Amino acid sequence: MLRLRSCIVSHLLSTPAAFRVTSPHRLLSAAAAPISPSQSQRFAVEEYLVDACGLTRAQALKASTKLSHLKSPANPDAVLAFLAGLGLSGADIAAAVAKDPRLLCARVDRTLASNVVGLTGLGLSGSDVALLATIAGEPFRFKSVVPKLQYYLPLFGSSENFLRALRKSSHLLTSNRDRIVEPNVALLRECGLAACDIAKLCMVVPRILTANPELVREMVACAEALGVPRGSGMFRQALQAVSFKSEEKIAAKAKFLKKIFKWSDAEVSHAVCKAPIVLRKSNSSLQQRSEFFLSEMGLEPAYIAHRPALLSYSMEGRLRPRYYVIKFLKANGLLGQYRDYYNIVMLSDKVFMERFIRPHKKAAPRLAKDYATACKGEVPANFRFT
């Protein structure tokens, strides 16, 4: 009987359109399913998790230890129906249950439905709520989730931005707001970061909001030590570059930059100050750019040190293809007056095409196609220089 019941629930979860409702009251109606005493006596949690919820056997074995008190599938059935009604697919529900097995114990009428009403009242769409249910874990079944989002949404600027950060750090919904989050936000504002800057920083490094405030103060001091003052437009990038990195790792990265680009200490400091994000580049990525700029292009180390933004662009998508185009045009007498490579790299794709590709459509009819091929990481025959 349990397997039959599980098959029915599984079928319902595999067709969420049948549960797509807009009113929490209708969700409650869909979730209300009576269960007979004989069924409750034979309830096997682990089998239910596999057959009805879609968990793997290993996931079910782990999750069942948190649900050993359950004697009946009545409440879990109600929760599954409610989640399906929100628009979650069977795979999404399986992920949500695996992340927080006790979600199956939550009261639909007292908690889940109330939370959905509160969240939609904050402006979250149905798909936003469904995504939150999938990735939030335990906080989704607590009433505190609504006031927490009421605080975060203005900070992040949109539900999309917040959910993007939440994917990276679920601690956003579990950290103490008064003792941890708000002091960190206040410190970031003291550093001159506007709300939009804080949102951009936290979408990349959301842990900076939930870390010990003393640690965040140390990060701020480290960013300042790079030579980037508080209040400058580059301070957000400096904080991002040094976040959760030890002084030893930062020093090692600076030493590596000095070695491969043949920079002096002053040039390393200048480059890091102007483009702190280079500290987060992998050694292999920096090595690749060093070989390209110094060996293949023949640029001077000082030229790169004073234009460190070059290191942040994609090798395949921008740096190499544009160099090939300029070299091709110059070799065929089409470039005219020499143009500075850095200025060419900084152009938008649209402007680059208008200035260096389209004017040569007759003289070099394959240029646009060859450039597009190069941007995919391939080198067309016309661009091969030996």
Side-chain angles (χ1 to χ4, degrees), residues 175-314:
S175 294
N176 187 285
R177 184 174 131 189
D178 294 330
R179 292 188 292 105
I180 302 293
V181 178
E182 289 190 355
N184 286 337
V185 170
L187 176 58
L188 294 176
R189 284 176 172 153
E190 288 175 15
C191 293
L193 272 65
C196 61
D197 295 316
I198 295 176
K200 289 177 182 177
L201 174 64
C202 295
M203 279 189 286
V204 179
V205 194
R207 286 195 301 155
I208 204 166
L209 285 184
T210 59
N212 186 304
E214 286 303 314
L215 178 58
V216 178
R217 288 191 180 279
E218 291 176 8
M219 294 180 200
V220 168
C222 190
E224 290 178 299
L226 297 180
V228 184
R230 295 189 186 193
S232 69
M234 197 59 66
F235 197 75
R236 172 176 62 83
Q237 290 192 27
L239 262 180
Q240 180 181 331
V242 303
S243 61
F244 302 99
K245 284 185 174 291
S246 66
E247 292 184 7
E248 291 76 15
K249 285 189 176 182
I250 294 172
K253 183 68 72 174
K255 184 177 180 180
F256 185 75
L257 287 166
K258 179 180 179 180
K259 177 183 177 181
I260 63 170
F261 287 107
K262 302 177 182 179
W263 286 340
S264 65
D265 289 338
E267 286 172 331
V268 172
S269 296
H270 182 83
V272 170
C273 181
K274 289 191 69 175
I277 206 66
V278 299
L279 293 174
R280 297 194 77 87
K281 288 286 185 181
S282 68
N283 285 358
S284 60
S285 171
L286 293 170
Q287 182 72 49
Q288 183 186 33
R289 283 159 176 73
S290 169
E291 293 170 358
F292 175 66
F293 290 139
L294 300 180
S295 302
E296 187 172 345
M297 288 191 62
L299 296 178
E300 292 294 327
Y303 181 92
I304 304 168
H306 285 80
R307 299 163 182 82
L310 285 171
L311 304 178
S312 65
Y313 287 101
S314 166

Side-chain angles (χ1 to χ4, degrees), residues 343-361:
N343 291 333
I344 292 172
V345 168
M346 297 297 287
L347 296 175
S348 67
D349 289 332
K350 180 179 179 181
V351 174
F352 179 78
M353 291 289 293
E354 290 175 350
R355 292 187 184 180
F356 295 98
I357 302 293
R358 294 192 181 113
H360 309 293
K361 188 174 181 179

Side-chain angles (χ1 to χ4, degrees), residues 24-41:
H25 300 293
R26 294 177 66 188
L27 287 173
L28 285 172
S29 299
I35 182 72
S36 68
S38 60
Q39 288 173 317
S40 66
Q41 293 171 3

Side-chain angles (χ1 to χ4, degrees), residues 22-279:
T22 57
S23 168
H25 300 293
R26 294 177 66 188
L27 287 173
L28 285 172
S29 299
I35 182 72
S36 68
S38 60
Q39 288 173 317
S40 66
Q41 293 171 3
R42 295 193 296 271
F43 182 55
V45 175
E46 188 176 330
E47 293 301 318
Y48 182 87
L49 291 169
V50 173
D51 297 335
C53 302
L55 272 64
T56 65
R57 183 63 63 178
Q59 288 175 323
L61 181 62
K62 180 179 179 181
S64 63
T65 61
K66 299 180 180 180
L67 301 172
S68 58
H69 63 286
L70 284 177
K71 304 302 180 184
S72 161
N75 199 81
D77 280 355
V79 172
L80 295 183
F82 183 83
L83 294 176
L86 291 178
L88 274 72
S89 67
D92 290 335
I93 292 175
V97 173
K99 190 178 184 73
D100 177 32
R102 290 195 176 96
L103 176 63
L104 296 176
C105 305
R107 290 295 299 269
V108 172
D109 53 347
R110 294 180 184 176
T111 305
L112 298 182
S114 176
N115 284 352
V116 170
V117 171
L119 292 169
T120 54
L122 295 177
L124 271 69
S125 66
S127 59
D128 288 336
V129 174
L131 179 57
L132 182 66
T134 305
I135 65 177
E138 183 178 312
F140 184 75
R141 57 184 169 88
F142 292 121
K143 292 185 177 181
S144 59
V145 72
V146 176
K148 285 182 177 180
L149 262 77
Q150 190 173 20
Y151 172 78
Y152 278 124
L153 291 178
L155 181 65
F156 280 87
S158 70
S159 57
E160 181 183 0
N161 289 345
F162 172 72
L163 291 170
R164 178 179 168 187
L166 186 64
R167 279 184 179 276
K168 295 184 177 183
S169 177
S170 59
H171 293 301
L172 286 170
L173 291 177
T174 58
S175 294
N176 187 285
R177 184 174 131 189
D178 294 330
R179 292 188 292 105
I180 302 293
V181 178
E182 289 190 355
N184 286 337
V185 170
L187 176 58
L188 294 176
R189 284 176 172 153
E190 288 175 15
C191 293
L193 272 65
C196 61
D197 295 316
I198 295 176
K200 289 177 182 177
L201 174 64
C202 295
M203 279 189 286
V204 179
V205 194
R207 286 195 301 155
I208 204 166
L209 285 184
T210 59
N212 186 304
E214 286 303 314
L215 178 58
V216 178
R217 288 191 180 279
E218 291 176 8
M219 294 180 200
V220 168
C222 190
E224 290 178 299
L226 297 180
V228 184
R230 295 189 186 193
S232 69
M234 197 59 66
F235 197 75
R236 172 176 62 83
Q237 290 192 27
L239 262 180
Q240 180 181 331
V242 303
S243 61
F244 302 99
K245 284 185 174 291
S246 66
E247 292 184 7
E248 291 76 15
K249 285 189 176 182
I250 294 172
K253 183 68 72 174
K255 184 177 180 180
F256 185 75
L257 287 166
K258 179 180 179 180
K259 177 183 177 181
I260 63 170
F261 287 107
K262 302 177 182 179
W263 286 340
S264 65
D265 289 338
E267 286 172 331
V268 172
S269 296
H270 182 83
V272 170
C273 181
K274 289 191 69 175
I277 206 66
V278 299
L279 293 174

